[in-house]
Structures are given as structure tokens and as C-alpha cells.
């Protein structure tokens, strides 16, 4: 009797557990499935908004990244002027807020979604772990790239580069021409030109690594918008992303300007930045029938990509942009300029943080 009673108790317990577990699982599944359905979902109207988004975001991106590049025609915005430093500080604040207020929360939302299993996604902070690894890898890339270019591009002595001779009395500058680095032997560098070349190399590495982080983030944003059929979400997102790309482009454009690239390299960097979000939207439209932003695979991929992008952007904004400028001789030599630059950083970061309400 005791064994039968025990079996009955176990059976009742299993039935009760299943009766509570199944509705929970069903509700979670329904919640995930309902993410792509609802009153605001209209495929035809959403497609019209996406087409508007492609051209408006492309235009805003082009304007943002090109504005600093044409600033050489405005004396007050030359890289050695105080106004340029303040504008760059503002743009650096925008990039910092992009990492912390836009990309990182998106990664948390994706990897902590109810559509993912509890183990391992809710048992370990994958977002911060991947962001940390990304920051370390960015530091490694930064360091190795600088070492490589210094060794192969600048520090070889006793010869000419591609037949170019010394010009204008600047020894060692023959290693840098037409906006590109040429691997080869160079004449001995004096201290002044060595410092100048090292700074130029630094600016070039910063511009390229920053571009990588922004491009990854932009493709993810575009893919999510292109795959969505929720017109209530897309409509405010268009305006927010236009401002987002405009200010982020200004930050990247300032870095490209200081890198002193030739026209070809500038055009490539501008093209990549301007077209990645529209390309992501087009890709999302093409995959909208098979891609679901609430599917486990999509959530994991997007979450990990956003986490890596956030780590890169946060490192670049704090170390390569803000710290490099604020600890540099120009800002350290002027408390007034330093104060204005801090105000610009706060304004840029604050404005971008406010946009996190919509995008």
C-alpha cells in the first residue's frame, strides 16, 4: 500500500509539474512568435518606409562623414585650430554614447531574451564578457598595427622609397606619400619628423579600427530594420538613425581627416561607412521571409556581434579619442579649451543617450 501511495503521489506530482510547465513554455513561445505579428505589422507600408530609410540614412551618413573632410576649406575648422578640437570632442562623446547607450543594451536585450534557453544564456553574462574580450583584442590590434607599420614603414634606414627622394627638407617623410604607407628603406629620421610620422600612423590605425567597429554595428542595425515589418517601430527609427549616422559620421570623418589619407583611401572609408546601414536594410528586406529577429540563432548572432562592437567602440572612444586628446599637449596647455571640450563631450554623449529612447 505504501508503495502504491508513493507511486500515486509521484504521478500526481509529475502531472502537476507538466500542467504548470506546458503553459509557461507555450506562453513563452507565443510571446516569441507574436514579436513578428500584431496591429502595427503591415508588409507593404513597412517596405515603403524601408525604401525611404535607405535613401535618407545614406544621405545623412554621407553628409556626416564628409563634413570634416571639407573643413580644410574653412580656416576655423583646420585640425590645428581650437574649434576643431571642440567639435572632435563632441563627436567622440557621440561615439562613446553609441557604445554604452545603444549597442551594449541591444546586446543585453538579445542575449537575455525569453526566446533563448535559460542555460547558458541567463547563467553567464556573455554580453560583458564578449565586450571585454573585444576591447582587449582592439588593444592588441592597435598595438601590433603600430609596431608593424613603425618597423616596416618608418624605421628602416639608408635608402629611398619607391624612387622618391627627400622633399622640402623633411627627412623621413618620403616614407609617406599619396595617403598610403610604403614598405621600404627610409633615410634617417630626425626627432621632429619621427614624432610627426608616429602621430600620423597612430591616426591611421585609429581611423581604420574605428571604421570596423562602426561598420559591424551599422550592418546589424540595418539588418534588424530591414527584416522588421513593424511600421510603428520603423517610422521613429528612421529619424533617430539619421541623426545617429550624422553625428557618428562626424566623429569618423574627423579621424579620417587627421589620418591624412589620399583621395582613394578617403573615398573607400566614406563609401563603407555610408553604405553599410542601407546595405543592411536591403539585406534584411531580402531575408525578411526567412529571417526572424526573435529566432534563437538570430538573437545569438546579433547579440554577440553587438557585444563585440560595443567593446571596440568603448575602447576607441575612451582610449584612442578622448584620452589621447585630453592628455595631449594642446588640451593640457589650455584649461579653457579643456573645459569647453568637456562640455562638448557631455553634449555629444547626452544627445546620443537621449536618442536611445527611439533607437
Amino acid at each position: 500500500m505504501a508503495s502504491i501511495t508513493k507511486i500515486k503521489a509521484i504521478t500526481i506530482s509529475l502531472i502537476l509539474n507538466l500542467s504548470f510547465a506546458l503553459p509557461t513554455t507555450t506562453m513563452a513561445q507565443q510571446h516569441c512568435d507574436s514579436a513578428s505579428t500584431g496591429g502595427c505589422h503591415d508588409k507593404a507600408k513597412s517596405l515603403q518606409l524601408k525604401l525611404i530609410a535607405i535613401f535618407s540614412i545614406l544621405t545623412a551618413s554621407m553628409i556626416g562623414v564628409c563634413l570634416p573632410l571639407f573643413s580644410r576649406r574653412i580656416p576655423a575648422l583646420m585640425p590645428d585650430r581650437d574649434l576643431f578640437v571642440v567639435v572632435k570632442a563632441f563627436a567622440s562623446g557621440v561615439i562613446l554614447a553609441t557604445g554604452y547607450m545603444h549597442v551594449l543594451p541591444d546586446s543585453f536585450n538579445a542575449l537575455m531574451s525569453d526566446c533563448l534557453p535559460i542555460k547558458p544564456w541567463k547563467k553567464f553574462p556573455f554580453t560583458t564578457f564578449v565586450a571585454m574580450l573585444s576591447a582587449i583584442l582592439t588593444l592588441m590590434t592597435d598595438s601590433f598595427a603600430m609596431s608593424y607599420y613603425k618597423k616596416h614603414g618608418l624605421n628602416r634606414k639608408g635608402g629611398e622609397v619607391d624612387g622618391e627622394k627627400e622633399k622640402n627638407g623633411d627627412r623621413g617623410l618620403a616614407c609617406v606619400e599619396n595617403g598610403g604607407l610604403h614598405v621600404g628603406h627610409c633615410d634617417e629620421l630626425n626627432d621632429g619628423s619621427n614624432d610627426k610620422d608616429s602621430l600620423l600612423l597612430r591616426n591611421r590605425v585609429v581611423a581604420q579600427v574605428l571604421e570596423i567597429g562602426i561598420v559591424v554595428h551599422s550592418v546589424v542595425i540595418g539588418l534588424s530594420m530591414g527584416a522588421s515589418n513593424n511600421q510603428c517601430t520603423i517610422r521613429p527609427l528612421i529619424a533617430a538613425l539619421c541623426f545617429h549616422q550624422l553625428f557618428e559620421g562626424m566623429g569618423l570623418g574627423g579621424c579620417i581627416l587627421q589620418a591624412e589619407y589620399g583621395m582613394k583611401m578617403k573615398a573607400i572609408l566614406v563609401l563603407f561607412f555610408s553604405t553599410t546601414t542601407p546595405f543592411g536594410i536591403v539585406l534584411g528586406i531580402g531575408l525578411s521571409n526567412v529571417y526572424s529577429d526573435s529566432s534563437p540563432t538570430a538573437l545569438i548572432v546579433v547579440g554577440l556581434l553587438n557585444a563585440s562592437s560595443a567593446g571596440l567602440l568603448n575602447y576607441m572612444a575612451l582610449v584612442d579619442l578622448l584620452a589621447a586628446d585630453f592628455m595631449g599637449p594642446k588640451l593640457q596647455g589650455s584649461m579653457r579649451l579643456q573645459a569647453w571640450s568637456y562640455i562638448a563631450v557631455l553634449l555629444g554623449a547626452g544627445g546620443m543617450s537621449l536618442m536611445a529612447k527611439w533607437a
Side-chain angles (χ1 to χ4, degrees), residues 118-193:
I118 294 176
K119 291 182 180 180
W121 301 105
K122 295 183 182 179
K123 297 294 184 181
F124 185 80
F126 281 97
T127 292
T128 47
F129 178 69
V130 173
M132 177 186 69
L133 289 181
S134 176
I136 295 172
L137 287 173
T138 305
L139 172 63
M140 291 172 59
T141 303
D142 225 352
S143 175
F144 285 135
M146 284 293 295
S147 298
Y148 176 83
Y149 282 127
K150 278 185 176 181
K151 181 179 179 181
H152 293 82
L154 290 173
N155 289 346
R156 294 191 180 186
K157 302 177 180 180
E160 297 174 358
V161 179
D162 293 340
E164 289 289 327
K165 298 182 178 180
E166 296 177 9
K167 298 177 184 179
N168 302 325
D170 280 335
R171 296 166 62 85
L173 292 181
C175 298
V176 182
E177 63 167 359
N178 296 329
L181 291 171
H182 295 266
V183 178
H185 296 284
C186 303
D187 293 330
E188 276 192 27
L189 308 176
N190 57 40
D191 292 337
S193 63

Side-chain angles (χ1 to χ4, degrees), residues 32-43:
C32 294
D33 293 338
S34 66
S36 57
T37 58
C40 283
H41 288 74
D42 187 317
K43 192 169 184 178

Side-chain angles (χ1 to χ4, degrees), residues 16-212:
L16 288 173
N17 286 336
L18 285 171
S19 65
F20 284 108
L22 286 173
T24 304
T25 305
T26 305
M27 287 176 65
Q29 186 62 42
Q30 287 175 350
H31 172 72
C32 294
D33 293 338
S34 66
S36 57
T37 58
C40 283
H41 288 74
D42 187 317
K43 192 169 184 178
K45 290 183 179 178
S46 295
L47 181 60
Q48 293 177 1
L49 290 173
K50 290 173 195 175
L51 295 176
I52 294 172
I54 290 172
F55 292 105
S56 57
I57 292 173
L58 178 64
T59 303
S61 300
M62 290 285 290
I63 292 172
V65 75
C66 288
L67 272 177
L69 301 181
F70 291 108
S71 65
R72 288 189 181 277
R73 299 184 181 184
I74 305 173
L77 290 175
M78 293 290 284
D80 58 339
R81 299 299 178 91
D82 291 351
L83 183 58
F84 179 85
V85 175
V86 174
V87 171
K88 186 184 175 186
F90 175 86
S92 300
V94 168
I95 292 172
L96 182 66
T98 298
Y100 277 110
M101 298 299 297
H102 292 255
V103 191
L104 204 58
D106 286 348
S107 178
F108 274 115
N109 291 337
L111 297 181
M112 297 296 288
S113 171
D114 292 333
C115 302
L116 293 179
I118 294 176
K119 291 182 180 180
W121 301 105
K122 295 183 182 179
K123 297 294 184 181
F124 185 80
F126 281 97
T127 292
T128 47
F129 178 69
V130 173
M132 177 186 69
L133 289 181
S134 176
I136 295 172
L137 287 173
T138 305
L139 172 63
M140 291 172 59
T141 303
D142 225 352
S143 175
F144 285 135
M146 284 293 295
S147 298
Y148 176 83
Y149 282 127
K150 278 185 176 181
K151 181 179 179 181
H152 293 82
L154 290 173
N155 289 346
R156 294 191 180 186
K157 302 177 180 180
E160 297 174 358
V161 179
D162 293 340
E164 289 289 327
K165 298 182 178 180
E166 296 177 9
K167 298 177 184 179
N168 302 325
D170 280 335
R171 296 166 62 85
L173 292 181
C175 298
V176 182
E177 63 167 359
N178 296 329
L181 291 171
H182 295 266
V183 178
H185 296 284
C186 303
D187 293 330
E188 276 192 27
L189 308 176
N190 57 40
D191 292 337
S193 63
N194 199 8
D195 290 342
K196 183 177 180 180
D197 291 339
S198 295
L199 180 61
L200 181 63
L201 281 173
R202 182 75 182 144
N203 290 334
R204 291 184 174 182
V205 171
V206 167
Q208 291 180 14
V209 176
L210 182 62
E211 174 103 4
I212 292 171

Side-chain angles (χ1 to χ4, degrees), residues 300-318:
I300 292 169
V301 172
V302 168
L304 294 178
L305 283 175
N306 273 333
S308 60
S309 179
L312 188 153
L313 290 174
N314 293 341
Y315 170 88
M316 295 296 295
L318 288 170

